[in-house]
Amino acid sequence: MDIQNIENIELKYLDLKDYQELKEAMIQAYQTMPNAYWKESQIESLINKFPEGQIVIKVNNQIAGCALSLILDYDQFDNSHTYKDITGNYTFSTHTNTGDILYGIDVFIKPEFRGLRLGRRLYDYRKELCEKLNLRGIAFGGRIPGYHKFSETLSPKEYIEKVKRKEINDPVLNFQISNDFHPAKILKGYLEGDDASNDFAVLLEWDNIYYEKPTKKAATKKKIIRLGLIQWQMRAYENLDELLQQAEYFIDAVAGYRSDFALFPEFFNAPLMAENNHLSEPDAIRELAKHTEAIIKKFSEFSISYNINIISGSMPEIRNDRLYNVGYLCKRDGTVERYEKLHVTPDEAKVWGMQGGNELKAFDTDCGKIGILICYDSEFPELSRLLADEGMDILFIPFLTDTQNGYSRVRNCAQARAIENECYVAIAGSVGNLPNVHNMDIQFAQSMVFTPCDFSFPTNGIKAEATPNTEMILIADVDIDLLRELNQFGAVRNLKDRRTDIFDLKKKVK
């Protein structure tokens, strides 16, 4: 049909009154397969069992195509199933509303309407229905009608690989792959009478990235996460209680906006070193380390009372007589987890004698998996990639930099981490100066939240940014579902497109 002659196109539920027209359309669509049409009683059964799964597309009020589907409990079927198995010997007794997979049992476009991309509309409807019903995905046995021409020289697997590489044109399989369906298995003897496919079919699958496994628990993981970044002003404090009072003020502020996380900077408690300024730098920071346990205990109490997950930035800590730069994730459920700075800067090693930590892991929270890297660690891309492999959605980077040069290193590397790992990255630092604390004289910071750079995100990859060198909080919402879309359908797919056939990245087993 000429596109200029189209007056209207509409997608409608299949009605039994359409049966005669549907039968004629199937006969035309399957000319190489005699008697390849459903009986009226079968169509009636399908409509009664699952009306939402049976649709037609009409052009100028004439049936141009159709898609028929069932919901299956997929675990009940063998990987080498046949079309008869799936349809219950064509009775559709296999359909169950409590199943987990939308299985396509038929889809066609009449010859005269091909080339108008109407099939894509049918597939898009199935995907939307799958998401609406919270099913794991879509599956169907796809015909490979061009295979009979190559069956003497190519195995089905070799044929599919050549189609994927565009060395062979199979319009049916090409269409399915272009619609994000991936070949999962070769099915032998799938559909009786499909001589063009040489008795083979390809099990094609599409994964619903929004699927949530049903749970009996009251709590569910959030999809819109609110981040509260604290751009901390370095100032003199009389004692630990006064510093904690200021910290609680900011926690109260971001919790008041119902933030899910509060992020403090690296070494935010450094002002307490002023009382030990008469000591050498290594001795002074070891005195500061004596406050760490009390601060974390108080932060854990704040996380519960203010109902917020607190990322404590970092603090010095002594373990087995060695000095480390560490932080704690204080969750609002009362649990506390520890993270370490793995790469200490030359200054930290030289002036304080600080050691690098050894443990890297992603943390489970009520808002999904997160990663935390302290300052300099953000400049080593392997670390965040390992966290991404563990399922990290948000990377938090508490930092402390004295100059704009140092800040630019952290800022630019953090933004790169967001792009290459398809995640959100939040950075928070300190501002101001501490004239009475050696090796902590000045600070420069601009706290920010970065996103990947794709159509669903800001064009410059910046979700929110604080005013440089000013004490303030920064609140930003991030949408986890957008990351799932990016991973599957992004203009580029950094995680999926990695060449793991030529390189490997893994943590060493201790």
Side-chain angles (χ1 to χ4, degrees):
M1 172 174 279
D2 193 325
I3 196 169
Q4 295 178 344
N5 295 326
I6 295 177
E7 296 179 3
N8 71 302
I9 299 175
E10 56 182 342
L11 209 61
K12 301 186 71 174
Y13 291 138
L14 178 60
D15 192 296
L16 196 58
K17 292 184 294 185
D18 294 321
Y19 175 71
Q20 287 301 324
E21 186 181 357
L22 177 71
K23 177 181 176 181
E24 293 172 8
M26 291 190 70
I27 292 172
Q28 292 181 42
Y30 297 123
Q31 295 178 16
T32 61
M33 299 174 65
N35 301 317
Y37 59 85
W38 297 104
K39 297 177 182 177
E40 186 172 5
S41 61
Q42 292 172 317
I43 293 298
E44 183 177 14
S45 176
L46 274 175
I47 293 173
N48 289 336
K49 287 176 181 289
F50 184 28
E52 282 185 291
Q54 326 313 324
I55 57 166
V56 290
I57 189 164
K58 293 190 173 184
V59 176
N60 297 345
N61 297 315
Q62 177 185 352
I63 290 179
C66 176
L68 309 176
S69 309
L70 300 173
I71 298 176
L72 304 181
D73 182 353
Y74 210 40
D75 290 337
Q76 301 300 314
F77 296 90
D78 187 89
N79 279 339
S80 299
H81 59 254
T82 67
Y83 194 65
K84 273 189 175 182
D85 296 333
I86 289 297
T87 59
N89 199 21
Y90 313 118
T91 66
F92 317 122
S93 60
T94 51
H95 173 79
T96 171
N97 290 326
T98 59
D100 59 350
I101 287 291
L102 185 71
Y103 201 102
I105 60 171
D106 204 347
V107 63
F108 69 85
I109 298 294
K110 285 176 65 177
E112 65 201 83
F113 293 101
R114 290 170 187 168
L116 300 176
R117 299 182 179 177
L118 301 180
R120 185 180 297 272
R121 300 191 189 206
L122 297 175
Y123 277 63
D124 286 345
Y125 172 82
R126 276 182 175 169
K127 292 174 185 177
E128 291 169 6
L129 180 62
C130 181
E131 293 170 1
K132 173 187 172 184
L133 298 177
N134 190 38
L135 302 175
R136 282 199 296 118
I138 303 172
F140 61 88
R143 300 177 62 234
I144 43 176
Y147 177 60
H148 67 281
K149 302 175 186 176
F150 302 88
S151 59
E152 294 184 2
T153 57
L154 297 175
S155 69
K157 180 180 178 181
E158 291 170 332
Y159 176 79
I160 292 169
E161 288 301 316
K162 283 184 173 290
V163 172
K164 289 168 68 176
R165 294 197 300 267
K166 309 299 183 184
E167 295 172 14
I168 293 176
N169 179 36
D170 185 315
V172 176
L173 187 55
N174 277 336
F175 173 74
Q176 292 155 350
I177 292 174
S178 69
N179 276 276
D180 305 310
F181 287 87
H182 55 87
K185 185 177 175 60
I186 303 295
L187 298 172
K188 173 69 173 174
Y190 179 74
L191 180 63
E192 293 179 0
D194 189 7
D195 297 332
S197 300
N198 217 42
D199 208 26
F200 289 100
V202 183
L203 179 62
L204 290 146
E205 296 178 342
W206 177 84
D207 301 319
N208 177 12
I209 60 176
Y210 303 113
Y211 173 69
E212 292 185 1
K213 188 175 181 179
T215 176
K216 295 181 180 179
K217 294 181 179 180
T220 57
K221 288 187 176 179
K222 301 182 66 174
K223 297 300 180 66
I224 305 295
I225 313 301
R226 181 160 294 177
L227 310 181
L229 281 55
I230 297 163
Q231 190 156 283
W232 179 267
Q233 172 77 47
M234 291 294 200
R235 54 166 63 88
Y237 295 99
E238 290 292 329
N239 50 45
L240 176 59
D241 289 341
E242 194 173 303
L243 180 135
L244 287 172
Q245 183 180 3
Q246 183 70 9
E248 184 178 9
Y249 163 78
F250 280 118
I251 293 169
D252 185 16
V254 296
Y257 289 102
R258 301 186 67 182
S259 297
D260 296 293
F261 290 94
L263 174 62
F264 281 83
E266 179 184 26
F267 285 138
F268 77 96
N269 64 336
L272 297 178
M273 280 200 292
E275 63 182 1
N276 294 306
N277 214 28
H278 60 287
L279 302 176
S280 66
E281 283 93 341
D283 289 340
I285 199 164
R286 281 164 174 78
E287 288 296 315
L288 180 65
K290 294 178 181 179
H291 295 300
T292 296
E293 184 177 353
I295 292 174
I296 296 308
K297 183 177 182 296
K298 200 66 180 174
F299 270 30
S300 182
E301 294 173 5
F302 291 153
S303 68
I304 296 170
S305 61
Y306 287 99
N307 190 29
I308 190 170
N309 300 300
I310 300 174
I311 298 166
S312 70
S314 80
M315 288 160 276
E317 184 175 80
I318 297 174
R319 287 201 171 186
N320 300 322
D321 296 325
R322 291 193 172 186
L323 181 68
Y324 297 95
N325 187 350
V326 306
Y328 286 82
L329 169 60
C330 301
K331 300 181 187 177
R332 50 185 160 199
D333 66 1
T335 57
V336 177
E337 297 194 70
R338 181 176 182 271
Y339 53 91
E340 304 173 324
K341 188 172 186 176
L342 306 181
H343 299 85
V344 297
T345 63
D347 183 77
E348 287 173 308
K350 178 182 177 181
V351 177
W352 291 328
M354 193 163 275
Q355 308 292 306
N358 297 292
E359 187 174 6
L360 175 71
K361 69 172 184 176
F363 299 100
D364 288 306
T365 74
D366 58 354
C367 300
K369 285 212 172 191
I370 68 165
I372 306 170
L373 296 177
I374 302 173
C375 198
Y376 192 31
D377 282 339
S378 66
E379 300 174 33
F380 296 85
E382 302 86 354
L383 301 182
S384 53
R385 176 51 52 83
L386 288 168
L387 293 173
D389 286 341
E390 293 183 24
M392 171 189 69
D393 289 321
I394 308 172
L395 175 61
F396 293 94
I397 301 175
F399 71 91
L400 184 146
T401 51
D402 54 354
T403 65
Q404 286 184 267
N405 293 339
Y407 167 73
S408 293
R409 288 193 295 269
V410 173
R411 180 234 187 275
N412 292 330
C413 289
Q415 186 159 24
R417 303 297 85 88
I419 294 170
E420 65 200 16
N421 295 302
E422 298 176 352
C423 67
Y424 297 107
V425 179
I427 67 173
S430 296
V431 300
N433 57 78
L434 289 173
N436 293 322
V437 177
H438 294 313
N439 206 42
M440 281 280 182
D441 308 82
I442 57 174
Q443 287 80 37
F444 181 92
Q446 184 180 16
S447 302
M448 307 183 84
V449 176
F450 300 110
T451 74
C453 290
D454 213 304
F455 298 118
S456 297
F457 305 94
T459 54
N460 62 357
I462 299 174
K463 176 68 176 180
E465 55 188 331
T467 304
N469 268 10
T470 301
E471 183 175 45
M472 63 180 293
I473 60 172
L474 182 66
I475 308 292
D477 285 348
V478 294
D479 187 340
I480 301 303
D481 277 346
L482 292 181
L483 299 180
R484 303 289 174 266
E485 287 186 17
L486 174 70
N487 182 258
Q488 294 291 327
F489 313 118
V492 294
R493 297 171 295 183
N494 296 77
L495 291 179
K496 272 194 168 187
D497 293 340
R498 287 177 293 168
R499 290 292 304 276
T500 53
D501 56 325
I502 60 174
F503 68 84
D504 190 22
L505 178 64
K506 59 184 178 181
K507 288 191 286 189
K508 289 184 177 180
V509 179
K510 297 180 183 177

